Amino acid sequence: MRQLTLASQGTRREKFLEEMDRIMPWPELESLIEPYYPKEGKGRPPVGMGIMLRIYFLQHWFNLSDPAAEEALYDSPALRRFAGVDLGRAAAPDETTILNFRHLLEKHDLCGAMLDAVNHYLESHGVRIGTGTIVDATIIHAPSSTKNASRARDPEMHQTRKGNQWYFGMKAHIGVDSKQGHVHSVCSSAASVADKHMLPDLLHGEERKVWGDGGYQGQGEAIRKAAPHAQDMTSRRTRYRKTVDELQRKKNRTKARIRAKVEHPFRILKRVFGFVKVRFRGLKKNHDHLCAAFALVNLYLHANGWPCWGRSVSRTRRNGGLCRSDEKQQTENRHRLAPNSFSPPMPLKPAGCSEIP
């Protein structure tokens, strides 16, 4: 009997990259970037767009900074094969090239467009955005130390208290489809902003039911304004002085079984991809990072058990942009950034934050 070795079976990292390479809608994503990507001409020829896009996703999956991504390409043959880097022909892209590519995506708001493109791609394969939305938020930590060049914390990050524990950072607000469990809306704010303030921007307008925890109670008017036909299914208060409403507790428990789906994207974002602390200063850069990360989360959620897909893309309707938009503005970036409110793959070694010029 032949004994299978690790080399013949492949590592977890290699299997993960093969699976993600199979399900990623590469033509659709590359078509978003192609109009803005540098063309060959005078000066040094640009690195292939497909290579840079794959390296950008590797940074999300393995929580790599720009210098760590460059080192990982030289260190790991599996990462080089996935990115299409051949050291026999050319050197791997350096950290400055990787940084410039990310700045290109941020400048043209392409990270939010990636989330739209992925949801369109999923819809073409039967994973459609339904008429139920679950809303929730999670805190992303930021460095609270003042031991830096400016001797100050990030002015766009703020602190908040959850129970008896204080946190400093930002909040990622998401709207999740209640049936399929994938993210269709993303908002970002400082940690001090209450969850309920982002509720209207997390709805796509065609909901019949909206679920949320106790932080969203009393927002029936805001829900009806954003989604006229939606029913408010948020959890209600159960304690009144010395009495407890047992009937309402049972209703909240029933609602919690549905609301549990909203925790799955957060688990993948934090525990699988390792994004538990902000990588950049300021809300805008971290918001763009979150939009691209949740696009990858949606694909990861539906990766297991799916056959080889085609590459067609169909339309879908969603909302929650930088400003409120109607049906005529479907192609614009609609992932809102709060204004002035201020496993899976085998892990590589921990990486520090990228330097922001």
Side-chain angles (χ1 to χ4, degrees), residues 47-74:
V47 180
M49 180 178 59
I51 295 176
M52 297 307 303
L53 182 61
R54 287 168 179 264
I55 294 174
Y56 179 71
F57 289 154
L58 288 173
Q59 289 184 277
H60 282 273
W61 290 325
F62 298 100
N63 195 27
L64 297 172
S65 64
D66 297 337
E70 179 185 359
E71 291 182 5
L73 289 173
Y74 285 105

Side-chain angles (χ1 to χ4, degrees), residues 153-226:
R153 295 177 174 181
D154 187 344
E156 296 185 20
M157 305 292 172
H158 291 283
Q159 63 183 5
T160 187
R161 188 175 70 176
K162 189 174 182 181
N164 294 324
Q165 181 69 39
W166 285 91
Y167 300 92
F168 180 78
M170 63 175 291
K171 275 185 180 179
H173 309 258
I174 61 172
V176 172
D177 184 73
S178 60
K179 183 177 180 181
Q180 301 292 348
H182 61 283
V183 179
H184 60 71
S185 300
V186 179
C187 296
S188 300
S189 71
S192 58
V193 177
D195 297 354
K196 63 182 181 180
H197 295 315
M198 296 297 173
L199 177 57
D201 297 288
L202 297 176
L203 307 179
H204 55 69
E206 297 179 356
E207 285 89 356
R208 296 291 180 176
K209 292 184 179 181
V210 176
W211 284 271
D213 58 25
Y216 299 95
Q217 65 177 336
Q219 299 300 307
E221 183 178 352
I223 292 175
R224 287 189 294 270
K225 186 175 180 181

Side-chain angles (χ1 to χ4, degrees), residues 16-89:
F16 170 78
L17 293 175
E18 289 175 1
E19 182 68 13
M20 297 309 293
D21 186 36
R22 182 177 67 88
I23 67 175
M24 291 295 293
W26 296 115
E28 288 82 357
L29 295 175
E30 291 178 1
S31 65
L32 295 175
I33 306 171
E34 196 274 334
Y36 309 101
Y37 198 73
K39 306 297 189 296
E40 292 189 10
K42 295 182 179 179
R44 186 179 68 173
V47 180
M49 180 178 59
I51 295 176
M52 297 307 303
L53 182 61
R54 287 168 179 264
I55 294 174
Y56 179 71
F57 289 154
L58 288 173
Q59 289 184 277
H60 282 273
W61 290 325
F62 298 100
N63 195 27
L64 297 172
S65 64
D66 297 337
E70 179 185 359
E71 291 182 5
L73 289 173
Y74 285 105
D75 184 63
S76 173
L79 267 58
R80 288 199 301 272
R81 283 195 298 270
F82 176 82
V85 174
D86 185 357
L87 297 180
R89 295 185 176 183

Side-chain angles (χ1 to χ4, degrees), residues 112-113 115-117 119-120 129 175 182-187 201-207 291 298 315-322 324-327 329-336:
L115 179 58
D116 284 329
N119 286 339
H120 295 170
I129 296 175
H182 61 283
V183 179
H184 60 71
S185 300
V186 179
C187 296
D201 297 288
L202 297 176
L203 307 179
H204 55 69
E206 297 179 356
E207 285 89 356
C291 288
N298 287 348
R315 297 182 60 189
T316 185
R317 186 180 185 275
R318 54 173 311 282
N319 215 329
L322 291 169
R324 298 294 293 174
S325 57
D326 55 20
E327 294 184 3
Q329 296 172 313
Q330 292 282 325
T331 58
E332 296 183 359
N333 176 25
R334 291 160 294 175
H335 308 279
R336 183 174 180 269

